[in-house]
């Protein structure tokens, strides 16, 4: 059976439309474009339903034939979501109150999609985390209410089946998958106490040993928690608004790992700087982190938080795994130039390096073969539009938004796991009429005074670090261990020293003068004497630097002047040692 063709939802100032996806792209003939400006669009989790709100009503259609399933007269609706099994539609509108109604009306509604009836109306003042979180079988739903987590069973929102009460619970994430459901809970620190994240398995919440895992940490104004697909571990990115050391404009971030078996650790990142992105691989056994001051590093870690592969440095701030997990895209969007690095993560081999300038959005197609990049408002209000690519760098379809119009969002239709099997990675660019946009090698900016001179290490703004398997010392596709690389460097240095130590022709010396401290003289064979000579030369070099500073007009300290006065004495000692007296 042929795999289905995915749809792409497009929302902008000129309305909402559905596009049938690659390999041939065009507007879906069955879906009637809605010319009204939509506030929100969404697909159901299995992709069979599509819903949107346009300021007049909420509409739900079937994606198979675009037939209308339900419409709701809800002109103020701003957000909507489907439950995992498509039994409930949740809608949210901004909370308002008046003098006549100081309590306000419930603004979160849960609708039965079978008969269109209202199941429950609730109060939800903030748009953040507005929608209840369901388990995939809909046996459990959870909401955060007044620092408590309220659990509901079998979509019965009239009865609270269980509660998790902790002081000042500010965030939670329900695990993916079916039973047994787990929940990660974050409690911010206060009055000198640390913040912490705990993992629980429903419905065991009471008692000192109820938590599956616990991780406490300081320096956290907010956190983001990310479960892996198998619900065995959570990655917690803790962030502060301000870096008190002044090293980073973005504040300070740390990455923590928690597993349901009780293990926890801090993920050690080799380069200082912000953490831009953290993403789990779909196989749930490793994760990728993009971090460090620009040019940022990207590294894959395993479940022991040990580095598996280092991609080196580059202009990047995001990472995207394909749905099948066999391809990884490292990209630099937003305030970067839109360079993308496409990697085969099984062979750790780069496929291509296309460029999508001014892009603000990137999404993988469920087939694992195509991606979409878009330039959307309000992030950028000019040059709006989107492109559909093959992962080898070929642009298959391009749509520019007309002048005066804005593009707000593009979104792929999701499909259940296993709909699209994994295919072998191709390294040759796919055919396409629009061609590819492989990034041209660009030269770094050099000041006018250095442009006609050869590049030196001091003229570089930063050191570029190549991927792990392209560095000196890498054998085949694997890199030597730290100790092996260290021993190899020692052997090379020893070999070079031996070659330099062989005199081409003996030169008799007569009346040797004191050697300049910047030159290295021959060794006498006694390690202790060689060590003393080395220390004396080091001191004489420091004295020379002090004399240069004094000549340039800088006033020396008392201890520095004392060092300069000892120059004759040190020269005499050096001469005696070198003569063997």
């Amino acid at each position: 059976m042929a795999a289905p063709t995915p749809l792409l939802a497009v929302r902008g100032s000129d309305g909402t439309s559905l596009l049938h996806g690659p390999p041939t792209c065009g507007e879906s003939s069955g879906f009637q474009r809605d010319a009204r400006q939509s506030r929100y669009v969404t697909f159901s989790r299995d992709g069979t339903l599509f819903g949107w709100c346009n300021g007049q009503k909420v509409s739900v259609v079937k994606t198979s034939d675009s037939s209308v399933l339900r419409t709701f007269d809800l002109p103020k609706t701003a957000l909507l979501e489907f439950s995992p099994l498509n039994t409930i539609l949740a809608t949210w509108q901004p909370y308002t109150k008046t003098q006549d109604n100081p309590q306000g009306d419930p603004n979160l509604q849960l609708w039965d999609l079978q008969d269109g009836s209202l199941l429950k109306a609730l109060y939800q003042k903030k748009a953040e985390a507005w929608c209840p979180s369901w388990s995939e079988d809909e046996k459990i739903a959870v909401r955060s209410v007044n620092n408590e987590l309220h659990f509901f069973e079998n979509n019965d929102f009239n009865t609270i089946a269980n509660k998790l009460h902790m002081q000042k619970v500010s965030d939670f994430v329900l695990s993916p998958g079916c039973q047994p459901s787990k929940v990660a809970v974050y409690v911010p620190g206060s009055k000198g106490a640390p913040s912490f994240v705990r993992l629980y398995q429903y419905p065991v919440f009471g008692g000192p040993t109820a938590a599956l895992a616990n991780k406490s940490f300081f320096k956290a104004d907010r956190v983001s928690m990310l479960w892996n697909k198998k619900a065995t571990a959570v990655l917690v990115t803790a962030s502060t608004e301000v870096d008190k050391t002044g090293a980073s404009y973005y504040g300070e971030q740390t990455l923590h790992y928690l597993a349901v078996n009780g293990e926890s650790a801090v993920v050690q990142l080799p380069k200082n700087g912000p953490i831009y992105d953290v993403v789990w691989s779909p196989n749930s056994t490793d994760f990728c982190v993009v971090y460090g001051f620009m040019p940022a590093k990207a590294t894959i870690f395993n479940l022991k938080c040990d580095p598996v592969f280092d991609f080196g440095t580059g202009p990047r701030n995001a990472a995207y795994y394909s749905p099948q997990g066999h391809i990884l895209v490292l990209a630099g969007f937003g305030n970067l130039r839109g360079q993308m690095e496409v990697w085969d993560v099984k062979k750790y081999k780069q496929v291509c390096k296309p460029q999508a300038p001014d892009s603000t959005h990137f999404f993988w197609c469920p087939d694992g073969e195509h991606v979409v990049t878009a330039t959307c408002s309000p992030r950028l209000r000019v040059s709006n539009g989107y492109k559909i690519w093959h992962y080898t760098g070929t642009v298959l379809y391009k749509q520019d938004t007309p002048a005066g119009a804005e593009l707000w969002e593009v979104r792929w239709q999701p499909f259940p796991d296993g709909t699209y099997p994994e295919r072998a990675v191709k390294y040759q660019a796919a055919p396409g009429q629009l061609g590819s946009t492989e990034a041209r090698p660009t030269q770094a900016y050099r000041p006018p005074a250095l442009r006609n001179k050869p590049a030196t290490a001091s003229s570089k703004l930063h050191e570029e670090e190549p991927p792990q398997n392209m560095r000196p010392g890498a054998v085949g596709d694997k890199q030597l261990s730290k100790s092996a690389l260290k021993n190899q460097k020692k052997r090379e240095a020893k070999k070079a020293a031996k070659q330099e130590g062989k005199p081409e022709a003996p030169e008799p010396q007569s009346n040797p003068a004191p050697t300049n401290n910047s030159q290295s003289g021959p060794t006498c064979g006694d390690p202790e004497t060689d060590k003393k000579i080395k220390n004396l030369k080091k001191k004489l070099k420091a004295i020379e630097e002090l004399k240069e500073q004094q000549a340039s007009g800088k006033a020396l300290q008392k201890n520095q002047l004392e060092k300069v006065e000892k120059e004759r004495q040190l020269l005499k000692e050096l001469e005696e040692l070198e003569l063997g007296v």
Side-chain angles (χ1 to χ4, degrees):
M1 182 179 176
T5 301
L7 297 173
L8 182 73
V10 181
R11 181 175 69 94
S13 60
D14 57 353
T16 302
S17 60
L18 286 180
L19 186 87
H20 61 76
T24 56
C25 305
E27 281 205 18
S28 175
S29 57
F31 182 80
Q32 185 68 34
R33 169 191 281 268
D34 186 354
R36 295 181 65 91
Q37 295 183 359
S38 297
R39 298 177 181 175
Y40 195 80
V41 299
T42 187
F43 286 98
S44 61
R45 195 169 298 188
D46 62 0
T48 58
L49 301 177
F50 176 66
W52 72 100
C53 52
N54 59 11
Q56 185 179 31
K57 61 183 179 180
V58 174
S59 303
V60 178
V61 300
K62 296 178 181 178
T63 54
S64 57
D65 56 6
S66 298
S67 60
V68 177
L69 177 66
R70 286 275 175 257
T71 57
F72 300 91
D73 186 18
L74 299 169
K76 295 182 180 179
T77 298
L79 300 169
L80 64 148
E81 290 293 340
F82 294 97
S83 64
L85 299 180
N86 301 338
T87 56
I88 292 177
L89 176 69
T91 62
W92 182 89
Q93 64 187 41
Y95 174 76
T96 57
K97 57 183 180 180
T98 61
Q99 290 182 350
D100 298 334
N101 186 12
Q103 180 71 20
D105 294 323
N107 60 324
L108 169 59
Q109 289 100 14
L110 303 176
W111 304 88
D112 189 334
L113 279 174
Q114 300 301 318
D115 56 16
S117 62
L118 178 64
L119 295 175
K120 186 69 176 177
L122 302 164
Y123 288 94
Q124 178 65 38
K125 294 183 179 180
K126 295 182 179 179
E128 184 181 0
W130 68 273
C131 186
S133 294
W134 279 277
S135 61
E136 286 191 7
D137 55 9
E138 292 191 12
K139 289 187 176 180
I140 294 173
V142 57
R143 290 184 68 226
S144 178
V145 181
N146 298 330
N147 298 326
E148 283 186 341
L149 296 186
H150 291 183
F151 290 82
F152 306 91
E153 294 182 353
N154 301 317
N155 286 330
D156 181 8
F157 288 91
N158 293 311
T159 305
I160 299 173
N162 216 321
K163 288 184 181 181
L164 175 58
H165 176 70
M166 300 176 70
Q167 188 176 6
K168 294 184 179 178
V169 174
S170 69
D171 197 8
F172 76 94
V173 180
L174 193 65
S175 65
C178 299
Q179 304 299 322
S181 292
K182 306 171 190 73
V183 62
V185 179
Y186 166 63
V187 176
S190 61
K191 298 181 181 179
S195 306
F196 62 85
V197 171
R198 287 180 185 166
L199 307 184
Y200 292 94
Q201 181 171 305
Y202 183 83
V204 184
F205 298 140
T209 60
L212 299 174
N214 178 63
K215 181 68 179 173
S216 58
F217 41 84
F218 291 95
K219 296 183 178 179
D221 295 331
R222 66 183 186 277
V223 301
S224 65
M225 297 176 286
L226 186 65
W227 282 96
N228 63 2
K229 200 171 184 179
K230 293 181 179 178
T232 58
V234 178
L235 290 171
V236 180
T237 307
S239 308
T240 58
E241 300 290 346
V242 178
D243 184 357
K244 293 182 180 179
T245 64
S248 174
Y249 172 80
Y250 299 97
E252 193 173 356
Q253 292 92 19
T254 53
L255 183 61
H256 306 268
Y257 168 87
L258 286 87
V260 294
N261 61 5
E263 294 179 357
S264 64
V266 178
V267 182
Q268 300 294 337
L269 303 176
K271 187 174 184 179
N272 294 328
I275 298 174
Y276 303 102
D277 200 11
V278 179
V279 58
W280 278 104
S281 168
N283 62 20
S284 298
T285 58
D286 48 47
F287 57 92
C288 182
V289 188
V290 183
Y291 60 95
F293 295 111
M294 288 294 168
K297 283 177 73 73
T299 307
I300 290 180
F301 296 87
N302 59 19
L303 294 181
K304 293 182 180 179
C305 300
D306 295 328
V308 176
F309 188 82
D310 185 357
F311 294 95
T313 59
R316 53 174 84 109
N317 55 15
Y320 306 93
Y321 276 102
S322 65
Q324 292 77 14
H326 62 318
I327 299 174
L328 174 67
V329 175
L330 302 174
F333 295 137
N335 57 350
L336 298 178
R337 291 187 175 183
Q339 178 177 294
M340 298 184 287
E341 302 166 49
V342 183
W343 286 84
D344 178 350
V345 291
K346 291 189 175 179
K347 298 179 180 178
Y348 291 117
K349 184 177 179 182
Q350 192 174 101
V351 178
C352 64
K353 205 171 181 179
Q355 194 158 354
D358 300 330
S359 294
T360 59
H361 290 69
F362 176 100
F363 297 102
W364 270 102
C365 181
D367 64 5
E369 296 276 313
H370 304 89
V371 300
V372 62
T373 60
T375 304
C376 299
S377 294
R379 182 67 176 84
L380 282 174
R381 296 189 181 276
V382 295
S383 303
N384 284 187
Y386 60 92
K387 296 177 184 176
I388 296 176
W389 309 62
H390 191 266
Y391 67 80
T392 53
T394 304
V395 180
L396 302 177
Y397 183 82
K398 180 180 178 182
Q399 181 66 53
D400 294 324
T401 304
E406 293 180 349
L407 176 66
W408 296 334
E409 184 183 8
V410 292
R411 180 180 292 211
W412 284 111
Q413 175 191 9
F415 284 89
D417 293 340
T419 304
Y420 296 93
E422 180 183 329
R423 298 182 182 179
V425 178
K426 300 176 183 177
Y427 294 89
Q428 187 175 359
Q433 295 181 352
L434 299 177
S436 63
T437 58
E438 189 78 16
R440 296 179 182 177
T442 55
Q443 295 183 349
Y445 170 79
R446 299 186 70 198
L450 296 176
R451 285 177 186 170
N452 296 323
K453 296 180 180 179
T456 61
S458 60
S459 65
K460 292 182 179 179
L461 294 176
H462 49 69
E463 289 297 325
E464 294 289 347
E465 191 175 318
Q468 176 176 314
N469 53 7
M470 295 174 63
R471 297 174 194 166
V475 181
D477 288 336
K478 295 183 179 179
Q479 190 185 22
L480 295 175
S481 65
K482 287 185 178 179
S483 58
L485 192 58
K486 190 176 181 181
N487 292 334
Q488 186 187 38
K489 287 181 179 178
K490 281 183 179 179
R491 287 194 296 271
E492 290 174 356
K494 195 173 180 181
K495 188 177 180 182
K498 282 183 179 179
Q499 290 175 352
E500 290 176 4
K502 293 178 182 177
E504 294 181 5
E507 295 182 4
Q509 293 184 356
S510 59
N511 299 327
T515 57
N516 191 297
N517 53 38
S518 63
Q519 297 174 348
S520 59
T523 60
C524 66
D526 183 9
E528 288 296 324
T529 306
D530 290 342
K531 190 175 180 181
K532 289 179 182 179
I533 291 173
K534 186 178 179 182
N535 289 334
L536 286 171
K537 289 182 177 180
K538 189 176 180 182
K539 290 178 182 179
L540 287 168
K541 185 177 181 181
I543 289 172
E544 285 293 327
E545 291 176 356
L546 290 173
K547 288 169 72 176
E548 289 176 6
Q549 293 177 13
Q550 191 177 32
S552 64
K554 182 179 178 180
L556 299 181
Q557 302 290 333
K558 184 178 178 181
N559 60 339
Q560 293 175 325
L561 291 170
E562 290 175 356
K563 285 183 182 179
V564 174
E565 290 172 0
K566 293 180 181 179
E567 184 180 20
R568 285 189 180 181
Q569 180 185 345
L570 295 174
L571 285 169
K572 187 177 179 183
E573 289 180 21
L574 180 63
E575 185 178 354
E576 289 174 352
L577 287 172
E578 290 186 336
L579 288 172
V581 177

